[in-house]
Amino acid sequence: MAVKNIEKLNIAKSLELFDEAKKLVPGGVLGARKPSDFIEGEYPIFIEHGKGGRITDVDGNEYVDFLCGYGPIILGYREEEVDEAVIRQIRDKGFCFSLTQKYQNLLSKKLTEIVPCSEMSIFLKTGSDATTASIRIARAYTNRIKVMRSGYHGWHDWCVEMKGGVPEKFYEDVHEFRYNNLTELGELMARYGDQTAAIIMTPFGHPLHRKMEEPEPGFLQGVREIAAKYGAVLVFDEIRTCFRLRMGGAQELYGVTPDLTVLGKGMANGYAISVVTGKAEVMMAAAQKLFISSTFFPNSDAYIAALKTIEILERDNVLDNIWEKGGRFLKKIQEIINKHDVGAELSGVAPMFFITFKREEADPRRARAKRDDFYTQLIRRGVFLTPHHHGYLCYRHTEKDLDMAAKAIDEALAYVNEKHQKKTS
Ligand SMILES: Cc1ncc(COP(=O)(O)O)c(C=O)c1O
């Protein structure tokens, strides 16, 4: 294959806006939207609009987008039925009141039909709201303090990765174990089990920057048994996996039911809503002992979006569509990876997948250099996948989008192969 090094994109307006933003917002943009979370100087920074599975940046470059808003876009951007339902609600009834509208009951009832552990729910706005509320509920229910955790759970004091501004006392009772490492959890629980309020974990392994991991046989069952043995509340953080792997999340896919679960991203196609749901006995601690409240939690725009999104997901068998086309897509990508043999690895499953590069012991920088070249070539070809986070498939990704992405991956790997093999030979 003749390997083309495509020209760098024109992202002048993005850079101009970013220069302005640095004077207005600390760091210019927040958290995982920073240019350093992509490849600086190559990826756009500001988005203008999106439709279906594609987005367009402020310079007019169009991309097939596999980041899907970091996960909430399960149908596609500007999904008319969802947006129309929200607009109708805003126009005809209103969505922000001093009291609650009936949609919380409808949504809570719906979740009991879909999510295996769901008996009662409380609705919040962000994933971090929900993970933090689940820990508070577990602590109130058990009258214990310690927490065992595995995975990313948001930006709040008890779990944020960067510890700046967080007193140690806020996380000193939180202990981490590695995904698929039952021994590590067993040892921690042997030591702290009688003080442990909650074990919170992503039931599917999606660690930052690293390959995705499915649960090894017996792993989730083993965690379930350990939680039961010590009387700790088991919380599955299904913020990414619910309404994506299955309607009822990884707990449905793998057949292990936690006491509580937190979800949000895929539920409302981009509108801000998150949920703690689970066994009534545990959830009732929230009503009896806790104050969980926010001005915006009851706003019904997101409840309406969630009800409509769930209706579409069920009516149109959306997840079957994603698994089916995603399965074919990943098979093709695996063949492309095998063909080029440059140390690229595909992990994950059809709805959530990641391309990483094998660490080379002799020179760890080489994998990083290959990765950066690969993702640079992809973005230049109009494919928005990123080096630090897995991709998602959404319903509106078309065969044309996927063919374009596969071709770009093929060409980008050919480029990496030629550049890096030349260097070593
Ligand atoms: C598994 C998981 N838990 C919690 C969160 C935090 O959610 P939010 O960013 O909405 O606060 C995220 C966000 O990416 C997540 O992926």
Side-chain angles (χ1 to χ4, degrees):
M1 178 193 284
V3 183
K4 283 186 291 186
N5 177 12
I6 298 269
E7 284 295 299
K8 196 167 144 73
L9 296 172
N10 174 13
I11 53 166
K13 281 204 185 112
S14 257
L15 293 172
E16 199 181 302
L17 282 169
F18 189 56
D19 273 345
E20 180 186 48
K22 282 189 272 191
K23 295 176 209 119
L24 301 167
V25 173
V29 289
L30 280 187
R33 266 80 181 177
K34 290 190 306 292
S36 58
D37 270 47
F38 302 91
I39 291 174
E40 291 195 62
E42 293 285 348
Y43 278 67
I45 307 169
F46 287 87
I47 287 298
E48 186 68 20
H49 57 80
K51 180 71 184 162
R54 296 195 177 213
I55 53 172
T56 302
D57 70 15
V58 285
D59 288 279
N61 303 301
E62 189 187 70
Y63 310 88
V64 176
D65 172 46
F66 290 101
L67 199 49
C68 292
Y70 272 105
I73 301 301
I74 180 73
L75 296 172
Y77 292 101
R78 275 194 291 147
E79 184 70 24
E80 273 164 38
E81 258 189 285
V82 178
D83 293 341
E84 285 304 324
V86 175
I87 291 164
R88 257 196 319 275
Q89 177 73 12
I90 294 171
R91 196 183 44 220
D92 298 348
K93 294 193 173 166
F95 69 100
C96 175
F97 296 102
S98 322
L99 300 176
T100 304
Q101 290 175 292
K102 66 185 173 196
Y103 310 102
Q104 71 150 27
N105 296 17
L106 296 178
L107 193 51
S108 188
K109 223 180 281 173
K110 193 73 209 166
L111 291 179
T112 63
E113 293 165 16
I114 293 174
V115 181
C117 75
S118 175
E119 293 173 4
M120 296 183 104
S121 300
I122 57 175
F123 299 99
L124 312 97
K125 283 279 157 213
T126 71
S128 300
D129 290 342
T131 56
T132 297
S134 75
I135 295 306
R136 200 186 290 176
I137 292 168
R139 283 175 165 160
Y141 175 71
T142 56
N143 284 315
R144 298 174 180 176
I145 290 177
K146 287 209 180 276
V147 172
M148 306 297 144
R149 60 168 285 210
S150 180
Y152 177 75
H153 305 299
W155 70 275
H156 288 181
D157 286 351
W158 65 275
C159 63
V160 68
E161 312 291 331
M162 280 177 78
K163 301 298 186 200
V166 186
E168 200 178 329
K169 63 176 115 181
F170 291 169
Y171 56 84
E172 68 192 10
D173 288 307
V174 179
H175 304 268
E176 259 187 282
F177 64 99
R178 273 171 299 174
Y179 188 80
N180 268 335
N181 195 327
L182 210 50
T183 311
E184 210 165 78
L185 176 65
E187 283 168 9
L188 280 167
M189 290 298 277
R191 203 155 157 210
Y192 300 120
D194 60 348
Q195 304 164 54
T196 298
I199 300 171
I200 181 169
M201 60 179 292
T202 60
F204 193 89
H206 41 68
L208 222 55
H209 314 304
R210 282 183 284 124
K211 279 169 69 167
M212 305 178 82
E213 281 183 73
E214 285 198 75
E216 283 169 7
F219 173 62
L220 294 177
Q221 290 80 354
V223 174
R224 179 62 282 184
E225 280 162 25
I226 289 174
K229 176 176 166 192
Y230 291 97
V233 174
L234 179 60
V235 186
F236 278 178
D237 180 346
E238 299 235 38
I239 294 284
R240 293 188 207 182
T241 44
C242 207
F243 301 102
R244 201 142 217 140
L245 294 188
R246 285 280 187 274
M247 291 297 284
Q251 60 196 274
E252 180 189 333
L253 181 60
Y254 299 115
V256 175
T257 306
D259 302 304
L260 299 182
T261 196
V262 291
L263 40 122
K265 288 196 195 234
M267 190 167 88
N269 203 48
Y271 290 84
I273 188 164
S274 64
V275 191
V276 185
T277 192
K279 292 191 179 145
E281 185 192 332
V282 183
M283 289 294 290
M284 280 307 288
Q288 289 159 349
K289 297 188 185 172
L290 305 183
F291 184 72
I292 295 177
S293 176
S294 164
T295 309
F296 298 124
F297 285 168
N299 280 9
S300 68
D301 52 341
Y303 293 63
I304 296 290
L307 286 163
K308 185 52 82 176
T309 301
I310 292 170
E311 181 190 320
I312 297 169
L313 290 172
E314 289 184 325
R315 184 193 67 202
D316 297 348
N317 295 319
V318 167
L319 299 195
D320 289 348
N321 167 285
I322 289 176
W323 275 94
E324 206 260 322
K325 73 182 170 198
R328 272 183 281 123
F329 177 62
L330 291 198
K331 187 164 173 279
K332 203 189 272 182
I333 301 308
Q334 188 60 61
E335 283 164 10
I336 291 169
I337 285 176
N338 295 346
K339 180 175 82 178
H340 291 291
D341 192 23
V342 281
E345 292 183 298
L346 177 67
S347 59
V349 286
M352 299 163 65
F353 63 97
F354 201 8
I355 299 171
T356 48
F357 285 80
K358 266 185 219 140
R359 195 181 139 84
E360 294 173 40
E361 287 311 324
D363 184 2
R365 282 169 311 178
R366 240 170 86 83
R368 225 173 301 142
K370 286 184 195 175
R371 178 196 72 189
D372 287 357
D373 281 332
F374 172 69
Y375 282 100
T376 297
Q377 292 300 315
L378 279 192
I379 198 72
R380 290 183 183 187
R381 285 170 170 77
V383 173
F384 202 105
L385 268 165
T386 96
H388 300 297
H389 195 287
H390 62 80
Y392 293 100
L393 277 195
C394 76
Y395 187 41
R396 297 295 177 200
H397 280 132
T398 61
E399 292 300 330
K400 193 171 156 211
D401 293 337
L402 299 182
D403 286 347
M404 179 185 150
K407 182 166 179 285
I409 290 168
D410 196 4
E411 290 176 1
L413 284 176
Y415 174 86
V416 172
N417 203 355
E418 192 172 281
K419 179 170 168 184
H420 289 270
Q421 287 197 350
K422 266 191 195 148
K423 260 196 178 166
T424 44
S425 57

